[in-house]
C-alpha cells in the first residue's frame, strides 16, 4: 500500500513536468511578444519594449528562460499578472476558496441526488420513475451548462424571485483562522445546482446500472418487503454498493466539472478561478490564464490520485500492491 | 442509453432523425436563410425600436442585440457547429486510429510508449487545456495556417479539439486490435503470409468499426458542446460569426428582460447534442445486445 502510494506520487512527476512545459510554451514560444503585451499595445517605443524585455528576463535564450521558469515554479512562483501587476499565486489564493466551495457544494448535491435517484430508479426498474431518471441523465449530458445556468437564473431568480440573481453575497461568515469569507447560502444555491445537474444525472444512471447489474436491486426490494424504511434501505443497503461508481465518476468527470465551473462562475459572477480565467482571457493577461489552468491541472491530477486510492478502501477486490502481472 | 418505453429502436430513430435534420439544415443553410428573407449579418430590426425585438410575424424568433434576425443566425449557426464537431472528430479519428493500431499491433515497447503518451493526455483536464491553448494563440484571423480557412477562429477550435481527442480513440482502437488479433481469422491471415499493413487494414480495423462509430458519434456531440462552451467564453468563434455559443453570450446581458435572445440558441445546442447522444447510445445498444437487458 505504502509503496503503491509512493510509486503513484513519483508517477506524478512527468505529468507535472509536461504541464509546466506546455504552459511555458504557451506563454513564451507562441508568436505574440510578451513584452509588447506587458507594455500594453502596439504603439509603444521600442526602447520601452527593450527595457521591459530586460526587466522581465525576456532577453535570455529560450532554454535559459525555460529553466528559470521551472525554477520559479518549484519555489511556488507562477509569475506576475500583466494587468494587475500582482503575483498570480496571490490571485489564485484569493479566488480558489470560492471555486472550492462551489465545486464541493455541487459535488455533494450531485452525489446525494444521484445516489437517491439511482437507487429509486433501480428499485422501480422498468417503471415510470426509472424512465424519468434515465431521461434526466440524458438531458444532463446534452445540456450546455452555461445555458442551463441562465435558464435557472431566469426562472428562479427573476420570474419566481426566490433566489438572488448572481454574485457571492457580501455578508457571509468568515472562517476562523483561514480568513476565508463564505458565500451567503442563498447566493450559493443557483450556481451549485447548475453545476451539479450535469453530473447528477450521470451519477444516477451509473448507480442504477451498478445496482441492477449486481442484482442488488432484489435485496433492496426484499428489505422493503420486510418493512424497512426507505431511509434505512438507502443508508444500509444501497449506499455502500453504489459508492464505487460514484467515486469512479468523480474521477472520470472531474475535468468536465472544472470546465462547467468556469462557465457557471462566469454566468453567476461567482468570484472564483473560472471567472478570473475568463476575465484574464478578455484582457490578454496570459500569466493569469496559464497560471490558473496549471493550478487546476495539479488539482485535477491530485483528485484522480485520490480516486484511485479510494478504490483500495471501497473495492476489496482491487489490490495495487503488486504490479499488474 | 436507450429509453425503454420508447420501444426497441425508437431512441435510435429519434437520434438519427435529429442528426439528419441538423445535417440537412447545415447543408441547405444558404437556401433556408434565403427563405427566411434576412441574412445572418443584416441589421433588420425597425430603426424606431431598440433591439433586441421580441418574436413577431416578421422575425419568428425575434432579433438579437444588434437587430439581426435570430432565426437566420440560428440556421447559419448549424454550419459552424457541424464544422467544429465533425472536423475535430475526423482529426481525432485519423490520429487515434493510427496510434491505436500501431500500439495494438506491434505491442511491446511501441505500445508502452504510445500508451504512456495517451495517459499523459488523460492526465490533463481536457476543457481547460483547450481553453488555455486557444487563449494563448494571439489571433487566429492572422495565424499562418488558419488564415486561409473560411472561419479561422473555428479552425483553431477544431484543430485543438481534434489534437486533444486522439487519445480516447487510440485507447479504444488499441483494445479492439488486441482483442481481434487473438482471434483465429487474424491469426490465419498472418500465418498465410499477409503483411502487417494488410492484416491491420483488412482484418483488424473493419472489425473494430462498430465501437469506433459509437465513439465518433458521441464524440461529435461532445465537440459541438465544447465549441459552444469555448465560444460562450469568448475564445471560440469570433463575432460576428453566428456560433450558437456566441449567440448565448450576446444575449446574456439581456437574460432577465429579453430572454428570447438566449433561449433559442441554447435550445438548438441541447437538441443537436441530444440527437448525437441518442444516436450513439442507440448504435451501441444495437451492436451489443447484452446492454439491452439492463436498459430495458
Amino acid at each position: 500500500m505504502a509503496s503503491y502510494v509512493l510509486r503513484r506520487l513519483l508517477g506524478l512527476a512527468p505529468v507535472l513536468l509536461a504541464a509546466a512545459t506546455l504552459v511555458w510554451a504557451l506563454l513564451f514560444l507562441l508568436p505574440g511578444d510578451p513584452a509588447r503585451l506587458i507594455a500594453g499595445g502596439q504603439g509603444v517605443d521600442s526602447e520601452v519594449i527593450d527595457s521591459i524585455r530586460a526587466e522581465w528576463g525576456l532577453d535570455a535564450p529560450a532554454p535559459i528562460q525555460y529553466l528559470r521558469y521551472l525554477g520559479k515554479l518549484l519555489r511556488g512562483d507562477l509569475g506576475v499578472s500583466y494587468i494587475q501587476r500582482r503575483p498570480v499565486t496571490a490571485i489564485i489564493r484569493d479566488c480558489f476558496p470560492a471555486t472550492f466551495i462551489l465545486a464541493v457544494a455541487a459535488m455533494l448535491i450531485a452525489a446525494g441526488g444521484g445516489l437517491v435517484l439511482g437507487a429509486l430508479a433501480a428499485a422501480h426498474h422498468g417503471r415510470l420513475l426509472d424512465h424519468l431518471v434515465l431521461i434526466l441523465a440524458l438531458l444532463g449530458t446534452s445540456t450546455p451548462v452555461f445555458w442551463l445556468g441562465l435558464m435557472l437564473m431566469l426562472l428562479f431568480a427573476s420570474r419566481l424571485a426566490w433566489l438572488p440573481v448572481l454574485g457571492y453575497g457580501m455578508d457571509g461568515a468568515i472562517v476562523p483562522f483561514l480568513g476565508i469569507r463564505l458565500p451567503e447560502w442563498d447566493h450559493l444555491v443557483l450556481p451549485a445546482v447548475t453545476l451539479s445537474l450535469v453530473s447528477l444525472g450521470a451519477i444516477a444512471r451509473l448507480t442504477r446500472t451498478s445496482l441492477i447489474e449486481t442484482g442488488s436491486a432484489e435485496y433492496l426490494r426484499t428489505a422493503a418487503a420486510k418493512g424497512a424504511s426507505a431511509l434505512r434501505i438507502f443508508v444500509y443497503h444501497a449506499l455502500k454498493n453504489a459508492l464505487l461508481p460514484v467515486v469512479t465518476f468523480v474521477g472520470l468527470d472531474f475535468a468536465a466539472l472544472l470546465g462547467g465551473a468556469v462557465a457557471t462562475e462566469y454566468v453567476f459572477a461567482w468570484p472564483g478561478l473560472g471567472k478570473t480565467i475568463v476575465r484574464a482571457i478578455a484582457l490578454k493577461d496570459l500569466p493569469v490564464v496559464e497560471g490558473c489552468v496549471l493550478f487546476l491541472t495539479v488539482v485535477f491530477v491530485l483528485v484522480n490520485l485520490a480516486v484511485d486510492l479510494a478504490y483500495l478502501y471501497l473495492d476489496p477486490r482491487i489490490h495495487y500492491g503488486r504490479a499488474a502481472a | 442509453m436507450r429509453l425503454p418505453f420508447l420501444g426497441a429502436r425508437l431512441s435510435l430513430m429519434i437520434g438519427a432523425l435529429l442528426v439528419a435534420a441538423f445535417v440537412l439544415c447545415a447543408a441547405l443553410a444558404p437556401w433556408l436563410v434565403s427563405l427566411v428573407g434576412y441574412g445572418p449579418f443584416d441589421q433588420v430590426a425597425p430603426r424606431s425600436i431598440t433591439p433586441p425585438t421580441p418574436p413577431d410575424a416578421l422575425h419568428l424568433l425575434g432579433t438579437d442585440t444588434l437587430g439581426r434576425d435570430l432565426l437566420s443566425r440560428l440556421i447559419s449557426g448549424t454550419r459552424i457547429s457541424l464544422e467544429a464537431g465533425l472536423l475535430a472528430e475526423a482529426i481525432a479519428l485519423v490520429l487515434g486510429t493510427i496510434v491505436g493500431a500501431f500500439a495494438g499491433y506491434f505491442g511491446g515497447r511501441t505500445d508502452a510508449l504510445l500508451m504512456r503518451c495517451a495517459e499523459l493526455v488523460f492526465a490533463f483536464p481536457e476543457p481547460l487545456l483547450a481553453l488555455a491553448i486557444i487563449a494563448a494563440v494571439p489571433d487566429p484571423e492572422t495565424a499562418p495556417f488558419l488564415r486561409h480557412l473560411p472561419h479561422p477562429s473555428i479552425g483553431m477550435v477544431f484543430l485543438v479539439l481534434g489534437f486533444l481527442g486522439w487519445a480516447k480513440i487510440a485507447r479504444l482502437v488499441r483494445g479492439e486490435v488486441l482483442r481481434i488479433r487473438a482471434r483465429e481469422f487474424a491469426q490465419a491471415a498472418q500465418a498465410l503470409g499477409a503483411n502487417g499493413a494488410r492484416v491491420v487494414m483488412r482484418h483488424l480495423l473493419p472489425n473494430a468499426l462498430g465501437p469506433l462509430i459509437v465513439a465518433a458519434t458521441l464524440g461529435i456531440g461532445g465537440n459541438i458542446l465544447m465549441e459552444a462552451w469555448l465560444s460562450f467564453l469568448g475564445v471560440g468563434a469570433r463575432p460576428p460569426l453566428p456560433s450558437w455559443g456566441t449567440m448565448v453570450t450576446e444575449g446574456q446581458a439581456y437574460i432577465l428582460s429579453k430572454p428570447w435572445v438566449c433561449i433559442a440558441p441554447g435550445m438548438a445546442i441541447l437538441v443537436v447534442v441530444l440527437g448525437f447522444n441518442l444516436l450513439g447510445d442507440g448504435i451501441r445498444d444495437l451492436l451489443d445486445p447484452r446492454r439491452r437487458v439492463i436498459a430495458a
Side-chain angles (χ1 to χ4, degrees):
Chain A
M1 171 75 190
S3 79
Y4 171 72
V5 176
L6 194 68
R7 212 146 32 82
R8 282 298 308 265
L9 282 174
L10 283 177
L12 293 184
V15 174
L16 297 179
L17 183 67
T21 307
L22 182 77
V23 163
W24 176 78
L26 289 174
L27 278 172
F28 297 108
L29 276 193
L30 283 175
D33 187 351
R36 209 165 277 282
L37 278 173
I38 297 166
Q42 295 296 326
V44 182
D45 266 14
S46 62
E47 280 170 35
V48 177
I49 300 277
D50 286 343
S51 74
I52 288 175
R53 216 168 259 145
E55 185 190 333
W56 290 66
L58 295 168
D59 48 356
I64 303 290
Q65 285 193 41
Y66 174 60
L67 289 178
R68 274 192 203 147
Y69 182 76
L70 289 186
K72 278 184 177 176
L73 280 187
L74 284 178
R75 293 194 300 270
D77 179 356
L78 283 169
V80 177
S81 158
Y82 290 163
I83 308 286
Q84 299 185 41
R85 305 286 154 109
R86 236 162 36 108
V88 174
T89 42
I91 295 173
I92 291 176
R93 200 167 49 231
D94 288 349
C95 299
F96 180 62
T99 300
F100 181 78
I101 291 166
L102 176 65
V104 168
M107 228 39 240
L108 286 178
I109 298 172
L115 282 173
V116 172
L117 286 181
L120 282 174
H124 293 254
H125 186 194
R127 279 178 278 158
L128 181 68
L129 199 67
D130 191 16
H131 301 152
L132 288 179
V133 170
L134 287 178
I135 292 174
L136 180 78
L138 189 61
L139 286 177
T141 48
S142 309
T143 309
V145 59
F146 54 89
W147 181 74
L148 181 70
L150 288 170
M151 291 302 114
L152 292 178
M153 182 195 280
L154 178 64
L155 182 61
F156 292 103
S158 174
R159 295 294 136 95
L160 297 171
W162 289 350
L163 293 161
V165 175
L166 42 73
Y168 192 73
M170 292 321 291
D171 295 325
I174 293 180
V175 181
F177 306 116
L178 295 174
I180 296 164
R181 184 180 287 283
L182 294 175
E184 288 179 48
W185 75 268
D186 55 345
H187 282 80
L188 178 62
V189 174
L190 274 185
V193 168
T194 301
L195 188 53
S196 76
L197 282 182
V198 178
S199 315
L200 192 149
I203 291 178
R205 190 171 70 173
L206 272 173
T207 309
R208 166 190 178 275
T209 311
S210 89
L211 283 176
I212 295 172
E213 263 180 350
T214 52
S216 35
E218 269 83 17
Y219 73 69
L220 291 185
R221 213 172 295 154
T222 310
K226 286 166 75 178
S229 72
L231 185 72
R232 193 189 150 82
I233 293 173
F234 177 65
V235 172
Y236 285 90
H237 298 279
L239 195 65
K240 218 177 129 198
N241 284 288
L243 265 179
L244 201 59
V246 172
V247 169
T248 311
F249 183 77
V250 173
L252 281 177
D253 209 51
F254 193 69
L257 187 84
L258 287 177
V262 171
T264 308
E265 287 183 8
Y266 179 49
V267 166
F268 289 99
W270 192 258
L273 283 175
K275 185 170 158 259
T276 306
I277 291 174
V278 178
R279 205 180 44 200
I281 288 174
L283 295 171
K284 297 207 179 302
D285 194 354
L286 276 187
V288 175
V289 178
E290 306 303 339
C292 290
V293 169
L294 187 59
F295 174 75
L296 287 176
T297 301
V298 173
V299 172
F300 177 73
V301 167
L302 292 178
V303 164
N304 272 324
L305 178 65
V307 165
D308 284 356
L309 295 182
Y311 276 146
L312 290 177
Y313 283 98
L314 288 173
D315 193 343
R317 287 168 302 182
I318 298 176
H319 295 284
Y320 286 131
R322 280 155 303 208
Chain B
M1 156 196 45
R2 196 163 60 87
L3 300 176
F5 67 100
L6 291 179
R9 288 174 190 177
L10 206 57
S11 76
L12 178 76
M13 278 172 56
I14 295 178
L17 270 178
L18 288 176
V19 169
F22 167 64
V23 173
L24 209 63
C25 196
L28 301 177
W31 180 66
L32 288 171
V33 165
S34 76
L35 281 188
V36 173
Y38 310 101
F41 305 111
D42 304 341
Q43 296 181 292
V44 292
R47 299 253 161 159
S48 51
I49 315 169
T50 316
T53 59
D56 56 26
L58 281 176
H59 307 286
L60 292 177
L61 294 177
T63 62
D64 72 1
T65 49
L66 294 178
R68 297 169 295 193
D69 186 78
L70 268 173
L71 182 59
S72 168
R73 285 180 72 71
L74 208 61
I75 294 170
S76 310
T78 51
R79 290 204 159 182
I80 308 275
S81 280
L82 189 66
E83 184 186 337
L86 206 61
L87 293 179
E89 201 54 35
I91 295 173
L93 273 178
V94 171
L95 289 177
T97 306
I98 293 173
V99 172
F102 257 93
Y105 186 79
F106 289 109
R109 287 220 180 127
T110 321
D111 183 25
L113 181 72
L114 290 175
M115 285 303 114
R116 261 306 125 70
C117 292
E119 274 168 32
L120 206 57
V121 177
F122 289 126
F124 286 92
E126 193 191 345
L128 290 182
L129 190 57
L131 186 69
I133 295 174
I134 298 179
V137 174
D139 188 4
E141 312 283 337
T142 57
F145 299 109
L146 301 167
R147 200 171 50 207
H148 307 293
L149 295 171
H151 311 123
S153 53
I154 294 297
M156 187 71 221
V157 170
F158 70 67
L159 281 178
V160 169
L161 292 185
F163 278 94
L164 291 180
W166 68 270
K168 266 176 277 180
I169 302 287
R171 190 169 56 174
L172 177 78
V173 169
R174 171 185 175 270
E176 289 295 308
V177 165
L178 283 179
R179 189 175 62 81
I180 300 162
R181 220 183 77 175
R183 302 263 294 271
E184 288 85 354
F185 66 86
Q187 304 270 352
Q190 207 144 26
L192 285 171
N195 64 25
R198 189 182 159 84
V199 173
V200 169
M201 296 303 289
R202 284 295 302 272
H203 300 282
L204 300 186
L205 286 184
N207 283 290
L209 211 55
L212 261 183
I213 290 173
V214 173
T217 312
L218 295 173
I220 293 174
N223 291 337
I224 289 177
L225 207 52
M226 197 85 120
E227 184 275 324
W229 178 75
L230 288 167
S231 297
F232 173 77
L233 296 178
V235 295
R238 299 289 154 102
L241 277 187
S243 156
W244 292 343
T246 314
M247 290 169 71
V248 175
T249 316
E250 287 166 355
Q252 194 188 358
Y254 294 88
I255 179 67
L256 298 185
S257 56
K258 294 163 178 181
W260 62 86
V261 188
C262 272
I263 292 179
M267 218 44 174
I269 302 167
L270 169 58
V271 169
V272 167
V273 176
L274 186 69
F276 278 103
N277 282 344
L278 277 172
L279 184 64
D281 285 334
I283 299 173
R284 175 158 53 199
D285 286 345
L286 205 67
L287 293 173
D288 184 1
R290 265 180 313 140
R291 286 179 54 89
R292 286 188 223 164
V293 182
I294 293 175

